[in-house]
């Protein structure tokens, strides 16, 4: 075939509903042991045009002079390279960022022409030079593979057009052996940002054009392997595995560890160790055809729907999953191997056992890692047409036969590529694509091709095409009803297991309510777990914003920071949400009674025993471990429980060494190094109190007296006689101490725009809680107390909180008792927080030590991971860097906090008889509230401290339900108190 110029027209393929032309049929993705391959990743020459047809295709021809072209890195997205020189990213959740007129796309269609010049390595099989290889059964002697190009590409090699394709996150291969030359090869790829395929790729993420996955030239030797399908099942009754490898090119299958050496297509049954996500046992094997050897890693496992349950190897599984988009804050969806591994390791270390590859098949190397380390995978097809919801799903491609070939092509490319991964247990047809015949066709095709896995699609509430009833963001009550089988629905659905393919929206601070969901999941067999939305924030690293989100690139239509809703921050630091999830889904459950000294241990794994774990105890006196040791782990099968006796406490009852609070902390840790974490890594833990906390008081012995300088002295403090506010405590200046009810609303407080009118952020602002006024009604020095009466209220309403601050002192210590009485009709709206706040002059050397929950933040419904102990941090490190600033950083269950403003300076101590919430930051709540990005926050010279009696829960209303009622902070008459003192320097008490 010779080079042909199509001129400035010839771009019809862009808006063609067909999947493309010229590509080879899809097949398994594998690496050969002996066939050569050449990575074409690296620096490519690049030219960007504003429209699909602005330039003709002369660039693909021989001898084209591209000297003045730019360069881009492949894999990569051109909009993320060279500081916006090639355009910028666009973020929309479900709305198409172009007029909806399928399959037409805008004339403005950024088009990137790419050129890559390459020579074949000296050792590249000479056979190629001879051209097509007839012995290989008519196939070509080399294949060019694209693992991912967004959204549509047309390809030429050495001037000959190979074809065009769509299906951004799916592989496409072309036969090229007959076109290759030993040197001076020219690969030309024209990539269009928008195409008919864009209508099928409306996932909630950045639109990022480019060749974003590998490009590889693969030698295909004569008699080489082409496609093959490893069928490896496990019979849990017999303990045997049955293997059959179907191969397009016949050969032999060798599994040395099992003494297997059989022909392809032959069935063999032998005793094996099964594969599960908990015990990911893989057998190294080889598929040998006359011309090639391909290494295989075989996992024996059987997935069935039986008794209305998803069972693997005969046992039901409970998914403790996450939804994973591919994301890197600098490279977008172009992920390197290290990043993929990091994701898998982070998942394993946080007790995650399952991944839904939302909403497209991931880079295939990720699935290799899932096989190796052990994760259950729902592999989802690259399909979403959510934007059609804006027009009541009219013209939805999944219900239009013209698009069905494209849908089937996508299904086939996913299944064929990924069919040999034991980790993949469920195929998902796609996400949020409405309903229609196209989906049914996909399901039918998949079932025909691979009967060994189940089919998922959330949009199919009738479960017409699916094997599992799946929903997203169903609230706790509904999930419980479903668990009890009280949800009704069509007959088929009632017979099926249930999962939440998305729940617990991890946007900003949160998600709240995870532990409550988990209890429901574990209470009902029918509920087989869920997948938190989502794994990582898709923030883009940016000098101006720190991490950019929707709108930061001036998009005319965007969905703001809704793209930052992950359990990891964009730089892959775990957020408090991930630590919470780790605790909530820990696979060993412990409960017990510290006084009796008994811990009941339950093996919460579905398959593994506890032999990989060790139990370590510590005996803590007021948060300090005074004794440690180990316990024998009982040999428990999955689901079994046993009681383990703790040793005698190392501190005798009644002895002076006992504290006001003694407790056991028991940790289940890895007994030895594993592939994913070292020995000693904590998998699960519990704390069991022994002695109840003793309350202490401050006996009012001091009398407030005028200090002669317009102030009132009481114990260690001096007050402003007009405002009644303390101006110093123990010589430390204090400013602005007052009742505080405001927090910078979290994304979950604000709620998604489509949520009902119960969203708290907007309600709070409507009530005016962010602009409360503080009227001083009385400052009353008394016999043994200073009483300050205030009325705290927003403008324009008669709502108020009448507040009485009663200050007393026993000499060195100062006690504040606050009583709050609501006035007016608060319309049952809970308060954001209830406590006091004040400022201390301090800079970046301010530190805090506390005895309470830690080390990280916690809120009423996100506090499972807070462990009682003694913790220490700089004030700066107390902040949780949510990409969009919002309330964060509270430490829960605090008994005592010590705030140090810098080395050598007096330290303010705060204590309370009732555990409180502690927060400190170097900006005000108002500044936090006003900030759009972390870079908007400039630390000042005041550390603002909040001591809260109570906090409103967090919930998940940025997409799902709000906090459960028990985590609400109702407006009602309330009393609370704090004790302050400043020890003499050197007095560590
Ligand atoms: C779901 C959707 C996800 C994401 C999420 C909200 O509806 O499937 O892709 O948009 O909501 O973050």
């Amino acid at each position: 075939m010779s080079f042909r110029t199509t001129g400035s027209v010839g771009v019809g393929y862009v808006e063609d509903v067909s999947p493309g032309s010229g590509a080879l049929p899809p097949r398994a993705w594998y690496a050969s042991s002996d066939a050569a391959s050449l990575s074409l990743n690296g620096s490519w020459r690049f030219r960007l045009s504003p429209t699909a047809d602005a330039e003709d295709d002369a660039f693909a021809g021989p001898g084209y002079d591209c000297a003045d072209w730019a360069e881009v890195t492949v894999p990569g997205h051109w909009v993320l390279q060279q500081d916006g020189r090639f355009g910028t990213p666009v973020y929309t959740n479900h709305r198409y960022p172009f007029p909806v007129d399928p399959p037409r796309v805008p004339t403005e269609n950024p088009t990137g022409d790419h050129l890559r010049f390459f020579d074949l390595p000296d050792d590249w099989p000479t056979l190629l030079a001879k051209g097509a290889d007839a012995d290989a059964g008519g196939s070509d002697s080399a294949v060019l593979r694209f693992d991912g190009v967004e959204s549509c590409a047309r390809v030429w090699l050495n001037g000959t057009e190979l074809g065009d394709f769509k299906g951004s996150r799916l592989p496409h291969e072309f036969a090229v052996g007959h076109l290759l030359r030993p040197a001076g090869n020219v690969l030309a790829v024209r990539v269009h940002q928008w195409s008919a395929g864009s209508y099928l790729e409306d996932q909630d993420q950045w639109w990022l054009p480019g060749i974003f996955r590998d490009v590889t030239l693969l030698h295909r030797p004569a008699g080489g392997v082409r496609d093959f399908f490893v069928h490896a099942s496990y019979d849990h009754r017999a303990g045997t595995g049955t293997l059959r490898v179907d191969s397009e090119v016949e050969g032999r299958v060798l599994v040395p560890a099992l003494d297997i050496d059989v022909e392809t297509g032959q069935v063999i049954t032998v005793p094996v160790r099964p594969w599960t996500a908990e015990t990911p046992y893989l057998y190294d094997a080889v598929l040998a055809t006359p011309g090639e050897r391909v290494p295989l890693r075989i996992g024996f496992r059987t997935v069935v729907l039986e008794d209305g349950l998803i069972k693997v190897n005969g046992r039901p599984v409970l998914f403790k999953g996450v939804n994973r988009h591919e994301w890197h804050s600098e490279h977008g969806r172009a992920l390197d191997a290290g990043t993929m591994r990091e994701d898998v390791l982070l998942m394993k270390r946080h007790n995650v056992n399952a991944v839904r590859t939302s909403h497209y098949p991931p880079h295939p190397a990720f699935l290799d890692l899932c096989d190796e380390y052990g994760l259950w995978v729902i592999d989802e097809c690259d399909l979403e047409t959510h934007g059609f919801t804006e027009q009541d799903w009219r013209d939805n491609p999944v219900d239009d036969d013209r698009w069905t070939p494209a849908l089937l092509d996508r299904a086939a490319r996913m299944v064929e590529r990924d069919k040999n991964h034991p980790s993949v247990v469920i195929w998902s047809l796609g996400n949020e694509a409405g309903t229609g015949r196209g989906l049914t066709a996909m399901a039918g095709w998949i079932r025909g091709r691979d009967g060994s896995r189940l089919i998922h699609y959330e949009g199919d509430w009738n479960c017409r095409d699916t094997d599992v009833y799946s929903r997203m963001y169903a609230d706790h009550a509904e999930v419980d009803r479903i668990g009890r089988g009280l949800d009704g629905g069509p007959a088929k659905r009632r017979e099926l297991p249930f999962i939440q393919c998305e729940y617990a929206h991890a946007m900003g601070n949160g998600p709240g309510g995870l532990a409550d969901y988990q209890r429901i999941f574990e209470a009902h067999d029918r509920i087989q777990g869920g997948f938190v939305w989502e794994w990582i924030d898709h923030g883009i690293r940016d000098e101006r914003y720190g991490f950019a989100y929707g709108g930061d690139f001036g998009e005319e239509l965007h969905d703001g920071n809704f793209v930052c809703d992950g359990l990891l921050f964009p730089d892959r630091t775990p957020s408090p949400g991930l630590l919470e999830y780790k605790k909530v889904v820990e696979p060993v459950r412990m409960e017990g009674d510290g006084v009796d000294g008994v811990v009941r241990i339950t093996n919460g794994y579905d398959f593994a025993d506890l032999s990989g774990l060790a139990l370590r105890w510590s005996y803590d006196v007021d948060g300090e471990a005074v004794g440690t040791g180990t316990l024998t782990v009982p040999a428990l099968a999955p689901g079994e429980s046993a009681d383990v006796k703790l040793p005698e406490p190392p501190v005798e009852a009644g002895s002076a060494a006992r504290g006001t609070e003694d407790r056991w902390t028991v940790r289940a840790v890895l007994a030895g190094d594993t592939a994913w974490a070292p020995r000693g890594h904590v998998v699960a833990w519990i704390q069991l109190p022994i002695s109840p906390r003793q309350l202490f008081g401050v006996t009012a012995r001091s009398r407030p007296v005028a200090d002669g300088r317009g102030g009132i002295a009481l114990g260690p403090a001096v007050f402003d006689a007009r405002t009644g506010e303390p101006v110093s405590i123990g010589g430390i200046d204090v400013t602005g101490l007052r009742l505080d009810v405001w927090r910078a609303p979290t994304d979950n407080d604000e709620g998604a725009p489509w949520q009902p009118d119960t969203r708290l952020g907007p309600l709070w602002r409507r009530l005016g809680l962010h602009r409360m006024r503080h009227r001083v009604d009385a400052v009353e020095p008394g016999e043994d107390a200073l009483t300050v009466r205030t009325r705290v209220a927003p403008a324009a309403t008669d709502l108020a909180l009448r507040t009485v601050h009663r200050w007393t002192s026993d000499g060195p210590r100062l006690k504040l008792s606050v009583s709050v009485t609501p006035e007016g009709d608060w319309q049952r709206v809970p308060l954001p927080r209830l406590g006091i706040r004040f400022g201390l002059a301090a800079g970046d050397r301010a530190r805090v030590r506390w005895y309470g929950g830690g080390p990280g933040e916690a809120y009423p419904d996100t506090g499972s991971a807070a462990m009682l102990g003694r913790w220490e941090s700089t004030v700066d490190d107390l902040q949780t860097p949510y990409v969009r600033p919002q309330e964060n950083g509270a430490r829960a269950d605090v008994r005592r906090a010590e705030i140090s403003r810098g080395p050598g300076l007096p330290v303010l101590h705060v204590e309370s008889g009732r555990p409180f919430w502690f927060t400190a930051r170097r900006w005000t709540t108002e500044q936090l509230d006003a900030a759009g990005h972390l870079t908007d926050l400039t630390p000042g010279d005041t550390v603002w401290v909040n001591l809260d009696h109570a906090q409103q829960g967090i919930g998940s209303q940025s997409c799902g339900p709000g906090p459960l009622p028990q985590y609400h902070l109702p407006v009602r008459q309330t009393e609370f108190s704090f004790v302050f003192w400043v020890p003499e320097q050197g007095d560590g008490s």
Side-chain angles (χ1 to χ4, degrees), residues 524-544:
H524 307 294
D525 291 345
R526 183 187 185 193
I527 300 183
Q528 296 200 262
F531 296 76
V532 167
W533 185 267
E534 68 174 307
W535 178 237
I536 183 167
D537 288 340
H538 309 209
I540 296 180
R541 197 178 280 286
D542 178 281
E543 233 171 76
R544 205 162 20 134

Side-chain angles (χ1 to χ4, degrees), residues 230-380:
V230 176
H231 302 276
S233 58
Y234 181 71
D235 180 337
H236 63 279
R237 288 187 197 86
T240 52
T242 296
L243 176 67
R244 191 188 81 228
V245 179
D246 292 334
S247 176
E248 198 177 326
V249 175
E250 286 175 10
R252 295 198 74 77
V253 179
L254 301 106
V255 192
L258 296 174
D259 275 336
I260 292 178
D261 179 352
V262 292
E263 281 172 19
T264 53
Q266 192 182 324
V267 178
I268 178 156
T269 299
V270 289
V272 296
R273 288 173 66 174
W275 187 97
T276 74
E278 294 164 7
T279 56
Y281 200 82
L282 292 173
Y283 287 91
D284 284 322
V286 173
L287 168 60
T289 60
E292 188 175 19
R293 292 168 71 83
V294 167
L296 311 178
R297 305 198 80 188
I298 298 177
F300 291 88
R301 52 117 193 84
T302 294
V303 187
V304 292
L305 183 66
E306 189 183 84
D307 309 324
L309 296 173
I310 302 165
K311 291 187 185 173
V312 180
N313 302 342
R315 304 185 63 95
V317 291
L318 185 63
F319 295 120
K320 301 166 174 178
V322 291
N323 281 279
R324 175 179 179 271
H325 265 291
E326 292 182 310
W327 188 249
H328 186 281
S329 61
E330 285 160 49
H331 308 303
R333 289 187 283 277
L335 259 59
D336 58 289
T339 303
M340 294 184 231
R341 181 176 300 266
E342 198 181 339
D343 276 352
V344 170
L345 294 181
L346 281 165
M347 289 176 191
K348 292 294 288 185
R349 290 176 189 157
H350 290 89
N351 294 334
V352 167
N353 74 0
V355 192
R356 172 175 176 234
T357 68
S358 55
H359 298 303
Y360 40 81
H363 189 290
F366 178 76
L367 298 177
D368 287 338
L369 294 166
C370 294
D371 294 344
E372 182 182 335
Y373 290 95
L375 288 164
W376 307 116
V377 176
I378 298 184
D379 195 357
E380 189 150 277

Side-chain angles (χ1 to χ4, degrees), residues 717-720 723-729 733-740 774 776 788 790 792 803-807 814-818 835-840 908 910 944-947 976 978 980:
V718 178
F719 293 82
D720 181 317
T723 63
E725 285 176 12
V727 293
S728 76
I729 301 175
D733 289 345
V734 174
T735 57
L737 189 149
R738 50 167 58 166
L739 187 84
D740 197 6
H774 296 251
V776 183
V788 182
T790 64
V792 182
T803 306
V804 180
H805 296 239
R806 187 162 185 278
W807 298 92
L814 178 73
K815 180 173 182 183
L816 167 63
S817 305
V818 183
I836 57 160
R837 69 116 220 244
F838 56 89
L840 300 174
L908 180 66
V910 188
W944 289 99
V945 177
N946 277 89
L947 307 177
F976 54 90
F978 301 103
F980 302 88

Side-chain angles (χ1 to χ4, degrees), residues 703-728 779-782 785-788:
R703 183 194 173 107
V705 289
D707 70 354
R709 293 189 296 275
I712 299 171
L714 174 67
V718 178
F719 293 82
D720 181 317
R722 281 179 301 119
T723 63
E725 285 176 12
V727 293
S728 76
V779 178
E780 301 166 349
L786 173 67
T787 305
V788 182

